[in-house]
Amino acid sequence: MRIFSGIQPTGRKHLGNYIGAIRQYVEGQARAAQGDGLAIFCIVDLHAITVAYDPVELRERTYDTTALLIAAGLDPESCILFRQSDVPEQTELCWLLSSVTAHGDLNRMHQFKEKSEVQRELISAGLFFYPVLQAADVLAYRCDEVPVGEDQRQHIELMRDIAERFNARFADGGEILVAPEHRIPGVGARIMDLQDPSSKMSTTAASEEGTIYVLDEPEMIKRKFNRAVTDSDDPPRIAVDPAKQGVSNLLDILAACKGITPDEAAAELAEARGYGDLKGAVSDAVAEMLAPVRERYEQMRGDEAALEQILVRGAEQAREIAAVTLGEVRSAMGVGPVG
Ligand code: TYM
């Protein structure tokens, strides 16, 4: 079993990234180690340049994200952790796969629509092409499983189509590329903004007050949850209900922290006096979950040379695998000399 996922080095990573994705990476790493699997995680700096960004900051953010992933439990001795731009095989594969990617499919990508709507300057061709590079990221490693949040479902479906179209066109009924499955968590796959629970928590669109960052101090976490938008039901009703987006989101977060279902989280609060009790329970659970990550991050982040060494070693391991896939793809497509 082979697991792959990618994460952008943009902005500070938030609770949605942590619950929806990073925790599943750590769990995937453990599962891969138990069996004869391999877990591969990529910091996707080339995806981050598809929207407005600052080049100096990008490098800093890459180290931030590396330190954060290790602090959250990824162990470079048990997984491959690397920076996307260090593996040119992925970018070449992206171009080769573009010939089996339908323009119409890219046009239908929700993330492109959402991100292009908020771009104040250039809407880059790179942003449009983003899902092809994402497909190349995963397909280069012939992975079976991709842990992601709900917002990436469509991108994973597209990479499956790309793999299948490639195999049908170039693999003579065989399987050169593997169509991967997404692994979207049952609880916490779409954490919403605390100030606007109709929008997903995100570093770009959401409000600062409505976003919990993995590195927020406990007092900050408490303050943000205290101010979270709920509703004006009188008496207050703590229940999972599509009409109660704010309360449902808080229950989802609480459930994800405790490893229970949102309905069970609501049942545990049956005696609560109001939304204040719910907010208190969620902020305690989140602060407790994130504190060790923040502490380990602070110990590691200062040593950029050590972080760089981890990324360089990870890229060497990644390139060995990606080069084999790329060689087979080039050969099947008739690109370059006979291999
Ligand atoms: P990124 O960095 O934007 O997001 C990283 C992961 O966090 C998940 N996520 C959320 N989960 C729950 N609730 C939220 N509010 C929330 N916001 C974000 C995302 O689903 C993602 O899993 N396109 C990818 C990066 C990527 C990638 C890949 C992923 C590039 N290549 C190959 C998988 C495989 C992304 O959005 O990253």
Side-chain angles (χ1 to χ4, degrees):
M1 182 250 317
R2 222 176 244 187
I3 297 172
F4 181 101
S5 202
I7 186 162
Q8 298 204 58
T10 40
R12 290 166 288 166
K13 293 324 247 185
H14 54 72
L15 186 64
N17 299 132
Y18 187 76
I19 291 177
I22 298 172
R23 281 204 326 185
Q24 331 300 320
Y25 303 170
V26 179
E27 182 270 337
Q29 170 185 258
R31 243 175 337 108
Q34 272 165 18
D36 206 11
L38 186 57
I40 309 171
F41 303 102
C42 178
I43 299 170
V44 295
D45 55 346
L46 297 179
H47 276 118
I49 65 171
T50 58
V51 293
Y53 78 102
D54 173 345
V56 176
E57 229 181 69
L58 178 62
R59 227 168 252 129
E60 291 295 305
R61 296 300 189 201
T62 302
Y63 292 131
D64 291 350
T65 309
T66 308
L68 189 82
L69 291 177
I70 297 170
L74 290 189
D75 171 7
E77 296 300 319
S78 311
C79 71
I80 299 178
L81 176 61
F82 72 103
R83 173 171 48 207
Q84 191 180 33
S85 59
D86 290 344
V87 181
E89 286 79 2
Q90 275 167 233
T91 20
E92 182 175 343
L93 185 60
C94 168
W95 182 253
L96 297 176
L97 294 178
S98 71
S99 68
V100 286
T101 306
H103 179 271
D105 285 347
L106 293 181
N107 254 334
R108 276 189 284 279
M109 293 292 121
H110 307 309
Q111 190 162 303
F112 174 71
K113 287 181 199 154
E114 283 160 20
K115 287 197 177 178
S116 52
E117 268 163 24
V118 296
Q119 286 310 299
R120 271 180 244 112
E121 295 162 28
L122 178 79
I123 298 172
S124 72
L127 189 61
F128 185 69
F129 226 62
Y130 180 120
V132 192
L133 181 58
Q134 184 164 347
D137 292 342
V138 177
L139 300 181
Y141 302 94
R142 298 199 252 234
C143 284
D144 315 289
E145 222 182 74
V146 189
V148 283
E150 177 62 42
D151 61 353
Q152 295 301 307
R153 184 185 290 272
Q154 200 186 27
H155 284 167
I156 311 292
E157 277 162 14
L158 178 74
M159 66 179 76
R160 290 180 58 81
D161 290 347
I162 292 176
E164 281 159 10
R165 198 172 297 122
F166 179 90
N167 287 339
R169 168 83 177 81
F170 296 112
D172 255 349
E175 193 186 57
I176 293 178
L177 297 178
V178 174
E181 304 280 346
H182 58 69
R183 194 174 171 97
I184 297 175
V187 177
R190 191 175 173 81
I191 302 293
M192 309 307 274
D193 187 279
L194 301 185
Q195 287 298 314
D196 173 11
S198 64
S199 312
K200 78 172 179 192
M201 190 176 283
S202 102
T203 11
T204 41
S207 62
E208 188 77 9
E209 276 289 286
T211 309
I212 302 280
Y213 295 102
V214 177
L215 300 177
D216 276 348
E217 301 275 343
E219 304 78 63
M220 177 68 86
I221 293 175
K222 195 166 178 195
R223 206 186 76 191
K224 289 178 180 172
F225 275 112
N226 270 339
R227 296 185 183 171
V229 168
T230 48
D231 53 50
S232 49
D233 280 3
D234 191 13
R237 195 166 58 86
I238 299 176
V240 181
D241 180 339
K244 294 170 69 69
Q245 286 178 313
V247 170
S248 299
N249 187 39
L250 295 178
L251 286 170
D252 210 33
I253 296 171
L254 181 57
C257 293
K258 295 183 119 189
I260 55 179
T261 68
D263 285 323
E264 284 165 350
E268 284 187 3
L269 285 158
E271 305 295 318
R273 289 178 306 272
Y275 294 146
D277 288 357
L278 169 62
K279 291 176 177 181
V282 191
S283 74
D284 287 349
V286 169
E288 195 183 315
M289 177 176 73
L290 296 181
V293 181
R294 195 187 66 250
E295 283 156 21
R296 279 196 295 269
Y297 175 88
E298 275 156 17
Q299 289 160 13
M300 309 199 41
R301 176 60 184 89
D303 194 350
E304 282 188 5
L307 296 171
E308 182 58 34
Q309 227 173 3
I310 289 169
L311 293 175
V312 167
R313 186 165 159 262
E316 282 165 8
Q317 295 170 302
R319 288 192 72 177
E320 262 182 46
I321 305 171
V324 175
T325 313
L326 181 64
E328 284 183 38
V329 167
R330 284 175 63 116
S331 157
M333 292 182 79
V335 169
V338 176

